[in-house]
């Protein structure tokens, strides 16, 4: 519990650090508003009634109301100003400071964190809106403060007028907390039982909604079993609810009798008895007590709800702590800047398994690539090709063995420049909702001339040239209505242009031709041969025709290099490579 | 939107719910009524009579009776409310959800496929889906609250007239605030929202991109992060500027509104009552607080009535969308009547042209060819040439704008859609599995016939795997909803998709070859699956690489939106056209080796 509170205070400290004036103003406003509310809507009645009973005149009472009125106008205006202007601006300031800091951290976290779903969900996704969470925590705490002030205000009035009222308030609070806790526990149980049922129900919705399924839905009668499934899940939801509903009802009524009924009915009867029979109360006191209890029976349940909310925040804060304290395993401790002139790669005795698994993806890999060499890595799905690329990029560090570039272990280079000097086009490349030039250069200040060169080399210059804004065209329609929509093949060419733009000494192309038609594929390889004459290039491909021209081919299977050599050498060996090649070539046999 | 439409739309939902779950409607009324009864009792009757009773020294029994009635009313309201929220509403929520979604789904599967590619329609669909979950119930609650708010207003006016009709004048403030400030405020808020749309969207985009897995590698290996951060900062600054521009005006209007709605009536009625008590002596002290309570209560209820109207107006827009969606006229409806097709003989394209909605150029132009029973046909072409569009036309997922497609000599539009489509069995390139038992995934809604499913799975060569699964044919595919579920590899899933073709009465098989990055062995297996399936049926292959074309009886090469070349492999090679060029380029790397 102590830790939970400390965690929440820690997260909230970001608010005080980045937008301290807002935090202060908000606290002051809440306290003042709470006090003013008590004063205005409860105490003023007693004051007026007492004044009248004491025989005071209208103009003697008037100043009291004038001051109260002026105070309320002032606080209301301040509150509205904060809501309409100051808060939104501060929210942006927080987003710019805290969120950008978080994004920066997220974009540098070990790639390994993305591999395990539970890690990805709790460490990365969960902290996506940590700034909003921090703000929510702060607001909940402030709300709590406001409620405590209000309640203590009413309790003070009660104490000054009638101590018995305090007893009723306390009993009602304790009982309310107790019945609420029981109710919440039961509700949580019910929600847990319902969650998978809702997922089942929503699955059908997803099928009917997604365009991917639209064809099958029309070409078959699959919608019959799907709707049956939908109706069953609805029935199950209703049944599950019915299992709990009477218990919920009973608990709610118990709550009523132990809270509102006590304060509003029993206590009221006692007050009536005292004023009528015992005559120990004035009418002013009676009014104040009545209004106090009325307000308390509104604020006490509110306080309980806020306390429940405070507890709910603990989940977020725990995950945030985890994120803040996360230490990358791929350490950026190197000092050397990478050489931009040549790229000789040497891999010695390399072994690797993904964290949290016990299966080695790479086993004792030895590889030597001379600067300027073109090599191909081929193999079945899951043979470890892409993992090898990830290690070369230093997304992971190997468990055993080492990778050297220009004779130096890659750990000795500074991490970011090392990664960025490699021109890598991944199989699952992405395009971004920014300009074509930025998508090619992947930087804020693209060199226009170089962008055009790169586009020419990837075969996209003509297409971009035809557009109205050229390389300034925005990609995609998500953010810009007149954005450029590219086909799969064209988008792929954008990704390929990136490798050409930087004129890298070391290029990795992962399945570069999967989305290209035969003609584009052919010219792409021509272009690569022509433009990367001096660069070290690693191709990864299933399409054995495309890797044939490589200086050296490595065939991988189960994390090991099982064959290596030129195409002709491997065909002579008549091993796995030759078998795969013939399987694909079979269809192209010349008549 | 016209006044009439607003209410028509709201009552449309009201009627719908009444048909689905009348108990919900009745309870909603009852609850609202007890709410306002309780409200009225406490704000005007209870306290006033109690206080006057005390001052007039009424008997203890009389006063306790007042308290008792209050407690009882409150108790009643709590019981009703809890029963409603834990029983009635959870249950009827589900039934309303079910009934509305069934209508939406039925419509979604009935509209022609082209509608799914039409952004306007899809947006309408998206909204309809989102709105069918919570909106209808909100509409009902809003409508029933009109009734109880009116009851409350009338009772409070009566009470005020009874006490002091002059006090009614304070109600003018809340009544005019909407007119004086509300409209202007809404306009400003709207302008602010509009100006914020673009930067907010950009911020959300950046946020999403930074955290999604698929972008992780590039964020680490390039400088794109700096581009994203710059865009984020610029958007955030734009938002700040917008708030600076509008904030003070909005705050001032908000202040005026809360003064008019709450503070002025409150202070005015307090002072008015005090003046009458102290200076004129025409009001008893007991009525002092009641007057302001009644004035504020009346102001609140009037406010609520105005809100109700605003909500009805907003709801109406969403309901209109739902109604438009449900009344969208399907261009190729499954319920369309027509002939039942005979045994397949020929399928003929007569000068068919087709343009996608909103596209400038046609996807296919002047297509003419004939497919005969028993033939194996291959369709080839570059990416985006229109191969997939062609088969979608055959399946009648679209209708051509020009020319006709004839099945056995009759335009396919003359056949009943459902029956016509059943003559075609398809394995799509992007075939889908459903999280349902294997049997359902094979029979696809046809009558439950395990024997038939088994035979089809045998033919597709996947029966052994299914037989050994935990629940045989009843094993659910995928682990999403069932930990006993069956995980399938790409090739295995394709065999299930193939079994669908065998399980039906299809006379024509359309097989779309995979083009994704599969390793050579997996790719080879998938090709073999399809080749095997083609043996005893009329088959149309869509080939993304020129690999399975040699065995075809006829090859159609699509280029420049029409059939450029047609013939057997040998004939097309002899022509030395585009087919030859593509084939050469693909084959060159494989040829001339030492076999």
């Amino acid at each position: 519990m102590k830790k939970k509170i400390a965690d929440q205070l820690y997260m909230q400290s970001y608010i005080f650090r980045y937008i301290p004036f807002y935090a202060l103003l908000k606290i002051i406003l809440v306290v003042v508003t709470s006090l003013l509310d008590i004063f205005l809507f409860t105490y003023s009645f007693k004051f007026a009634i007492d004044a009248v009973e004491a025989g005071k005149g209208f103009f003697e009472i008037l100043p009291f109301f004038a001051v109260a009125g002026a105070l309320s106008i002032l606080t209301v205006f301040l509150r509205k100003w904060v809501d309409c202007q100051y808060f939104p601006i501060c929210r942006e300031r927080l987003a710019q400071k805290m969120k950008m800091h978080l994004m920066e951290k997220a974009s540098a976290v070990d790639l390994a964190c993305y591999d395990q779903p539970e890690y990805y969900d709790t460490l990365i996704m969960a902290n996506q809106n940590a700034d909003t969470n921090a703000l929510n925590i702060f607001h909940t705490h402030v709300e709590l403060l406001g409620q405590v002030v209000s309640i203590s205000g009413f309790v003070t009035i009660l104490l000054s007028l009638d101590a018995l009222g305090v007893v009723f308030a306390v009993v009602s609070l304790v009982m309310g907390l107790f019945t609420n806790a029981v109710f919440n526990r039961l509700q949580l149980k019910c929600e847990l039982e319902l969650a998978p049922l809702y997922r089942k129900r929503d699955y059908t919705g997803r099928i009917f909604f997604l365009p991917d399924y639209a064809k099958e839905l029309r070409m078959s009668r699959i919608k019959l079993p799907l709707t049956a499934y939908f109706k069953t899940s609805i029935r199950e939801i209703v049944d599950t609810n019915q299992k709990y509903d009477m218990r919920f009802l009973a608990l709610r009524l118990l709550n009523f009798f132990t809270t509102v009924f006590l304060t509003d009915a029993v206590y009221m009867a006692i007050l009536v008895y005292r004023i009528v029979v015992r005559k120990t109360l004035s009418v002013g006191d009676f009014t104040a007590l009545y209004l106090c209890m009325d307000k308390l029976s509104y604020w006490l349940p509110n306080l309980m709800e806020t306390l429940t909310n405070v507890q709910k925040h603990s989940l977020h804060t725990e995950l945030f702590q985890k994120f803040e304290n996360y230490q990358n395993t791929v350490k950026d401790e190197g000092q050397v800047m990478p050489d931009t002139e040549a790229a000789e790669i040497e891999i010695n005795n390399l072994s690797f398994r993904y964290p949290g698994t016990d299966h080695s993806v790479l086993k004792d890999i030895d590889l030597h690539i001379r600067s300027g060499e073109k090599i191909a890595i081929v193999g079945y799905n899951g043979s470890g090709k892409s993992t090898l690329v990830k290690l070369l990029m230093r997304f992971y560090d190997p468990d055993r063995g080492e990778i050297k570039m220009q004779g130096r272990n890659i750990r000795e280079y500074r991490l970011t420049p090392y990664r960025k000097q490699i021109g890598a086009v991944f199989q699952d490349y992405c395009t971004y909702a920014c300009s074509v030039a930025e998508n090619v250069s992947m930087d804020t200040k693209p060199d226009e001339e170089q962008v055009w060169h790169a586009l020419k080399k990837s075969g996209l210059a003509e297409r971009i040239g035809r557009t109205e804004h050229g390389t300034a065209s925005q990609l995609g329609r998500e953010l810009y209505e007149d954005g450029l929509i590219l086909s799969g093949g064209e988008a792929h060419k954008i990704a390929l242009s990136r490798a050409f733009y930087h004129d890298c000494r070391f290029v990795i192309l992962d399945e570069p031709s999967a989305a290209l038609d035969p003609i584009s594929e052919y010219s792409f390889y021509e272009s690569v041969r022509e433009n990367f004459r001096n660069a070290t290039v690693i191709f990864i491909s299933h399409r054995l025709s495309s890797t044939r021209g490589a200086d050296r081919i490595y065939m991988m299977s189960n994390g090991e290099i099982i064959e290596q050599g030129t195409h002709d050498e491997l065909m002579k060996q008549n091993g796995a490579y030759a078998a795969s090649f013939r399987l694909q070539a079979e269809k192209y046999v010349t008549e | 939107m016209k006044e009439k439409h607003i209410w028509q739309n709201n009552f449309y939902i009201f009627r719908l719910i009444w048909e689905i779950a009348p108990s919900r409607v009745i309870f909603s009324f009852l609850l609202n009524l007890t709410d306002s009864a309780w409200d009225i009792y406490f704000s005007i009757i209870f306290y006033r009579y109690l206080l006057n009773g005390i001052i007039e020294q009424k008997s203890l029994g009389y006063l306790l009776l007042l308290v008792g009635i209050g407690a009882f009313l409150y108790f009643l309201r709590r019981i009703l409310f809890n029963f409603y929220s834990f029983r009635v509403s959870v249950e009827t929520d589900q039934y309303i959800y079910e009934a509305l979604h069934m209508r939406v789904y039925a419509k979604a599967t009935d509209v022609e496929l082209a509608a799914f590619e039409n952004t306007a329609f899809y947006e309408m669909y998206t909204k309809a889906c989102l709105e069918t979950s919570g909106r209808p119930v909100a509409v009902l609650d809003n409508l029933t609250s009109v009734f109880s708010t009116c009851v409350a207003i009338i009772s409070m006016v009566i009470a005020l007239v009874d006490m002091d009709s002059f006090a009614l004048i304070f109600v003018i403030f809340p009544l005019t605030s909407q007119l004086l400030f509300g409209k202007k405020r809404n306009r400003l808020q709207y302008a602010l929202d509009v100006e914020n749309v673009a930067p907010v969207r950009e911020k959300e985009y950046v946020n999403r991109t930074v955290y999604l897995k698929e972008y992780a590698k590039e964020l680490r290996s390039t400088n794109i992060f700096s581009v994203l951060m710059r865009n984020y900062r610029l958007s955030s600054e734009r938002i700040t500027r917008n708030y600076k521009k509008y904030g003070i005006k909005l705050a001032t209007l908000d202040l005026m509104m809360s003064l008019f709605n709450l503070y002025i009536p409150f202070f005015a009625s307090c002072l008015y009552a005090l003046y009458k008590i102290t200076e004129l002596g025409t009001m008893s002290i007991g009525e002092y607080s009641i007057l302001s309570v009644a004035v504020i209560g009346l102001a609140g209820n009037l406010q609520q009535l105005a809100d109700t109207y605003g909500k009805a107006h907003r709801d109406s827009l969403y309901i209109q969308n739902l109604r438009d969606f449900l009344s969208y006229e399907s261009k190729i409806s499954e319920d369309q009547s027509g002939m039942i097709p005979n045994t397949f003989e020929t399928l003929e394209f007569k000068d068919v042209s087709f343009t996608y909605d909103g596209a400038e150029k046609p996807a296919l132009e002047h297509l003419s060819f004939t497919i005969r029973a028993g033939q194996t046909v291959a369709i080839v072409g570059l990416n985006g040439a229109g191969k997939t569009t062609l088969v979608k036309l055959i399946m009648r997922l679209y209708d051509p704008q020009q020319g006709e497609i004839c099945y056995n000599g009759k335009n396919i539009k003359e056949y009943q859609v459902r029956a016509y489509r059943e003559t075609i069995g398809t394995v799509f390139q992007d075939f889908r599995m459903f999280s349902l038992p294997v049997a359902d995934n094979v029979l696809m809604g046809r009558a439950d016939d395990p024997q038939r499913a088994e035979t089809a799975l045998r033919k597709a060569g996947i029966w052994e795997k299914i037989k050994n699964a935990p629940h045989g044919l009843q094993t659910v595919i995928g682990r999403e909803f069932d930990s006993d579920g069956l995980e399938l590899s790409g090739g295995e899933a394709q065999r299930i998709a193939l079994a669908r073709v065998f399980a039906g009465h299809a006379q024509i098989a359309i097989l779309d070859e995979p083009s994704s990055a599969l390793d050579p062995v997996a790719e080879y297996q998938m090709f073999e699956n399809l080749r095997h399936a083609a043996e005893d049926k009329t088959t149309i292959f869509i080939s993304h690489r020129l690999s399975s074309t040699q065995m075809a009886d006829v090859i159609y090469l699509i280029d420049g939106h029409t059939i450029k070349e047609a013939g057997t492999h040998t004939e097309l090679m002899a022509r030395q056209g585009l087919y030859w060029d593509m084939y050469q380029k693909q084959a060159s790397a494989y040829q001339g080796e030492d076999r």
Side-chain angles (χ1 to χ4, degrees), chain A residues 84-353:
Chain A
C84 293
Q85 186 173 55
Y86 193 57
F87 171 62
I89 289 173
C90 289
R91 194 175 51 197
E92 286 308 312
R93 197 176 304 154
L94 183 72
Q96 276 188 40
K97 289 185 172 160
M98 184 171 177
K99 196 168 204 117
M100 283 169 87
H101 157 75
L102 289 170
M103 288 200 273
E104 197 151 348
K105 174 137 187 170
S107 74
V109 160
D110 280 336
L111 201 65
C113 297
Y114 289 77
D115 295 330
Q116 292 145 291
E118 65 277 10
Y119 221 63
Y120 176 63
D121 288 345
T122 59
L123 193 68
I124 298 170
M125 290 313 270
N127 288 300
Q128 197 175 354
N129 295 314
D131 59 328
T132 325
N133 293 339
L135 209 49
N136 286 343
I137 289 174
F138 173 68
H139 282 162
T140 312
H141 287 180
V142 170
E143 200 183 325
L144 198 64
L145 176 70
Q147 285 162 346
V148 169
V149 169
S150 294
I151 290 172
S152 2
F154 291 121
V155 169
T156 314
I157 297 180
L158 273 184
L159 266 178
S160 71
L161 296 175
D162 180 25
L164 184 66
V166 182
V167 176
F168 271 90
V170 169
V171 169
S172 148
L173 177 67
V174 171
M175 291 307 290
L177 280 176
F178 172 72
T179 49
N180 255 17
V182 177
F183 179 82
N184 285 345
R185 214 173 304 139
L186 192 65
Q187 199 173 33
L188 188 70
K189 201 173 150 219
C190 177
E191 276 168 10
L192 285 178
E193 229 174 288
L194 281 172
L197 300 177
Y198 277 116
R199 272 201 299 132
K200 270 172 81 174
R201 184 190 76 172
D202 297 339
Y203 171 71
T204 333
R206 204 167 75 207
I207 300 281
F208 281 99
F209 181 67
L210 290 175
D212 312 13
Y213 293 91
K215 283 181 299 199
E216 311 259 30
L217 281 172
R218 280 163 183 70
M219 294 307 292
S220 73
R221 296 188 187 190
I222 191 70
K223 68 177 172 196
L224 300 179
L226 281 172
T227 47
Y229 184 76
F230 177 63
K231 286 183 178 165
T232 318
S233 53
I234 295 250
R235 181 43 65 196
E236 283 171 352
I237 292 172
V238 170
D239 287 349
T240 308
N241 269 317
Q242 281 183 355
K243 220 164 70 186
Y244 287 95
D245 58 8
M246 283 304 142
R247 270 180 285 171
F248 284 148
L249 188 65
L251 278 170
R252 269 357 229 166
L253 290 182
L254 183 66
N255 179 276
F256 166 75
F257 279 112
T258 53
T259 58
V260 183
F261 183 75
L262 275 187
T263 53
D264 280 27
V266 177
Y267 183 61
M268 190 58 57
I270 292 173
L271 286 184
V272 168
Y273 171 77
R274 290 202 340 222
I275 199 169
V276 177
V277 181
R278 304 276 296 277
K279 303 195 193 306
T280 48
L281 271 180
S282 75
V283 178
D285 287 350
F286 176 77
T287 309
L289 281 173
Y290 166 74
L291 290 173
C292 259
M293 267 307 176
D294 194 43
K295 289 280 179 185
L296 272 177
S297 67
Y298 167 79
W299 283 111
L300 287 177
N302 259 3
L303 177 72
M304 287 171 222
E305 210 182 303
T306 314
L307 284 174
T308 323
N309 287 341
V310 168
Q311 281 197 326
K312 281 183 190 158
H313 285 312
S314 286
L315 183 67
H316 288 307
T317 52
E318 216 174 278
L319 296 177
F320 183 69
Q321 285 285 337
K322 203 170 140 191
F323 183 68
E324 282 282 281
N325 298 330
Y326 183 81
Q327 295 287 333
N328 277 342
T329 55
V330 177
K331 296 258 187 292
D332 184 12
E333 286 165 349
Q335 296 300 325
V336 185
M337 285 300 281
D339 185 354
T340 49
E341 289 307 310
E344 183 187 16
I345 313 287
E346 204 183 324
I347 299 177
N348 296 322
N349 200 19
L350 183 78
S351 292
F352 178 72
R353 61 189 159 79

